[in-house]
Amino acid sequence: MDNDKYFSQVYMPKMNRLGKITGYLGVLFSFIPVSYLAWQYGLVPQGSALFASFITAAASFGVLWVVEPISYFPVLGPIGTYMAFLSGNISNMRVPCASIAQKAAKVEPGTEQGSVVSAIGMAVSVIINIAVLTVGVVLGASVLEKLPPNVTQALNFLLPALFGALLVQFGLKFRKHACFMLVFAIAIAYAVRIGLFNWLPGAANYLPMLSTVFISIIIALMVHKKKA
Amino acid sequence: MEVMQIANSFPMWIACGVPVLLVVVQAALFARDSFTAGKAMGLTDIQLKSAARSSAITSIGPSIVILSGMLSLLVMLGGPVAWMRLSMIGSVMFESLAAGIGTQTVGVTLGSDPLTPLAFTMALWTMVLGSIGWVIFATFSADRMSVIEQKVSKGNTVIMTTIASAAIIGVFSAQSAASLVRLNKNAVACILGGLIMAVITFIAEKKDSHHLREWSLTITILLAMLITALL
């Protein structure tokens, strides 16, 4: 069987099935702890209080349930989408690891080989993430609290440094485009910060990412068309 | 029974461990099939292994940041819940926000008031109900969005690559901008990260050093973090 057919006729159908089964199982399984509390201790929430807190939660970030899977899809692809949303920590971990894996294997994003490699990168990052968290939780608060405060403070700078580094690493290949997008992203982030989008509820949570990703795609496609 | 005793009890570890295990199993299954597929599609062992190794190295830094975020959740809601909530769905910021909303509706301010069993239950329910929306929508739409993307690009791989590369630059631009507009030390860390990466990439290209390329991200973020903290 040639490569092209293997991907579309064997690999993808299998991955879609696996992604859907594990995804929906994940939704069910996240109710195990609350079910245990109800069954063992009779601890059930009052209906009205639960309704109130669900509405508050949905109003604060309900838009993200739909906006995030859509705006990350062009980066994550279908397999990555299944994995990233079940495991969480998407922008700070899954996207960087998937992209770095593609770079290491020298495959292009958006291709079939790229999808396979990013799935491997993402799976590895999920396992490392959980391993680190498990070690941390076993060591427990007693050990973690002994970390000197300047160490925990310094850790706050790790993610900003990571994003700056990644932007340069991936932007070097498309310098003009990356510079323009950074200026655009800063403008949007600044506009949101000074409250220009306050009329749009929750805009601060999704507008910068959503608009930057899609403007970036549109511009790249226009430039591509012009060249062709 | 005292609420923190319940929260840290052995059965609670099991109840939270099952969902965590599912996330691990999903990742392991995807990895196994992707390795097989990669080989069938003509990728070499070296390519696949260096992809896995680079991702593992890159994962360490962010994992430690997530771990330090787990600390606050661990103190407030006990080990098992903190462990499960940060191993699946959501993110540090979302989880504490949702837990706080949950306890607030029964009159308990998370972190300052003593936790009651009911507040603990509310926190847990709110975190679960507040996060499954992501998984349900993502799981339902993943293959459908793929069909839309195929239609937009008409199966043209050059266009698919253009879309994905542009999206990656968009994501990292937006993330960098979020730090930059704060005009504080986070902005400094972001700029340093970019500068150091540019220098290391230049050296790695010149010396054609494979190792330097693989470790460039880890070296960069550690250096940038250290310099920013010492400033």
Side-chain angles (χ1 to χ4, degrees), chain A:
Chain A
M1 196 182 289
D2 66 46
N3 297 348
D4 195 43
K5 286 216 174 96
Y6 185 88
F7 184 85
S8 59
Q9 292 180 6
V10 180
Y11 181 68
M12 273 321 291
K14 202 173 169 194
M15 294 298 96
N16 277 324
R17 206 164 49 238
L18 182 62
K20 289 201 190 286
I21 294 172
T22 48
Y24 291 131
L25 266 186
V27 173
L28 273 183
F29 281 16
S30 37
F31 285 96
I32 294 177
V34 287
S35 311
Y36 170 73
L37 287 180
W39 170 70
Q40 181 69 25
Y41 301 101
L43 283 171
V44 279
Q46 304 149 334
S48 58
L50 185 63
F51 184 72
S53 63
F54 176 72
I55 294 298
T56 314
S60 320
F61 33 73
V63 179
L64 298 181
W65 299 337
V66 174
V67 168
E68 282 197 346
I70 294 174
S71 34
Y72 285 119
F73 183 81
V75 181
L76 297 171
I79 311 165
T81 298
Y82 293 121
M83 234 186 297
F85 285 92
L86 187 66
S87 59
N89 291 301
I90 297 163
S91 63
N92 52 353
M93 197 158 174
R94 307 298 162 230
V95 174
C97 286
S99 316
I100 290 295
Q102 290 178 334
K103 235 186 158 72
K106 300 192 175 73
V107 293
E108 293 291 331
T111 59
E112 294 180 347
Q113 292 191 336
S115 307
V116 172
V117 168
S118 86
I120 293 173
M122 221 175 281
V124 169
S125 89
V126 169
I127 289 167
I128 301 261
N129 180 21
I130 293 185
V132 171
L133 285 176
T134 307
V135 171
V137 86
V138 169
L139 288 178
S142 52
V143 177
L144 289 175
E145 270 169 346
K146 284 196 191 107
L147 279 177
N150 46 5
V151 172
T152 29
Q153 214 179 10
L155 283 174
N156 289 332
F157 306 133
L158 211 153
L159 287 182
L162 175 73
F163 293 131
L166 285 166
L167 177 62
V168 168
Q169 194 169 28
F170 287 89
L172 279 176
K173 237 171 102 183
F174 313 92
R175 269 174 227 189
K176 248 191 189 158
H177 185 78
C179 286
F180 180 79
M181 286 323 299
L182 182 62
V183 172
F184 174 85
I186 290 175
I188 286 282
Y190 183 71
V192 168
R193 199 174 164 78
I194 60 170
L196 281 187
F197 289 98
N198 281 353
W199 50 275
L200 209 64
N205 284 330
Y206 62 85
L207 188 71
M209 177 70 71
L210 186 71
S211 59
T212 312
V213 167
F214 282 95
I215 295 289
S216 179
I217 293 176
I218 291 168
I219 292 176
L221 286 179
M222 274 165 33
V223 171
H224 173 82
K225 220 173 185 178
K226 224 175 169 184
K227 271 189 202 155

Side-chain angles (χ1 to χ4, degrees), chain A residues 33 133-142 144, chain B residues 3-17 20 67 69-87 115 120 124 127:
Chain A
L133 285 176
T134 307
V135 171
V137 86
V138 169
L139 288 178
S142 52
L144 289 175
Chain B
V3 62
M4 281 324 268
Q5 263 174 311
I6 299 176
N8 285 311
S9 65
F10 181 71
M12 207 54 196
W13 281 106
I14 303 291
C16 293
V20 174
L67 180 66
M70 187 176 74
L71 185 62
S72 60
L73 214 55
L74 189 139
V75 174
M76 293 185 291
L77 300 172
V81 171
W83 179 54
M84 168 185 135
R85 293 309 321 171
L86 290 184
S87 300
L115 196 66
F120 176 66
L124 217 59
M127 287 193 284

Side-chain angles (χ1 to χ4, degrees), chain B residues 9-199:
Chain B
S9 65
F10 181 71
M12 207 54 196
W13 281 106
I14 303 291
C16 293
V18 175
V20 174
L21 195 66
L22 176 78
V23 181
V24 175
V25 168
Q26 187 200 47
L29 289 176
F30 271 128
R32 191 197 59 186
D33 286 341
S34 302
F35 258 100
T36 316
K39 279 188 191 156
M41 289 161 62
L43 290 164
T44 63
D45 242 19
I46 299 171
Q47 278 177 303
L48 294 172
K49 280 189 183 144
S50 79
R53 198 172 48 239
S54 297
S55 169
I57 296 168
T58 309
S59 302
I60 298 169
S63 287
I64 292 173
V65 178
I66 297 167
L67 180 66
S68 73
M70 187 176 74
L71 185 62
S72 60
L73 214 55
L74 189 139
V75 174
M76 293 185 291
L77 300 172
V81 171
W83 179 54
M84 168 185 135
R85 293 309 321 171
L86 290 184
S87 300
M88 78 185 290
I89 329 179
S91 59
V92 179
M93 189 209 72
F94 159 79
E95 301 298 351
S96 358
L97 210 66
I101 292 172
T103 59
Q104 201 68 61
T105 44
V106 290
V108 173
T109 303
L110 194 64
S112 44
D113 294 339
L115 196 66
T116 62
L118 184 65
F120 176 66
T121 313
M122 285 299 300
L124 217 59
W125 274 94
T126 311
M127 287 193 284
V128 171
L129 291 179
S131 65
I132 54 176
W134 271 291
V135 186
I136 294 174
F137 183 79
T139 305
F140 172 80
S141 62
D143 50 342
R144 291 169 175 86
M145 288 195 284
S146 188
V147 173
I148 296 173
E149 196 184 35
Q150 292 282 351
K151 272 192 189 138
V152 170
S153 66
K154 300 180 192 80
N156 181 332
T157 48
V158 180
I159 293 183
M160 297 278 273
T161 303
T162 308
I163 291 177
S165 307
I168 291 171
I169 289 176
V171 168
F172 296 146
S173 297
Q175 298 286 9
S176 299
S179 298
L180 291 173
V181 295
R182 296 172 131 198
L183 297 174
N184 58 6
K185 276 191 156 190
N186 286 28
V188 176
C190 182
I191 295 170
L192 278 174
L195 286 179
I196 298 172
M197 178 53 94
V199 172

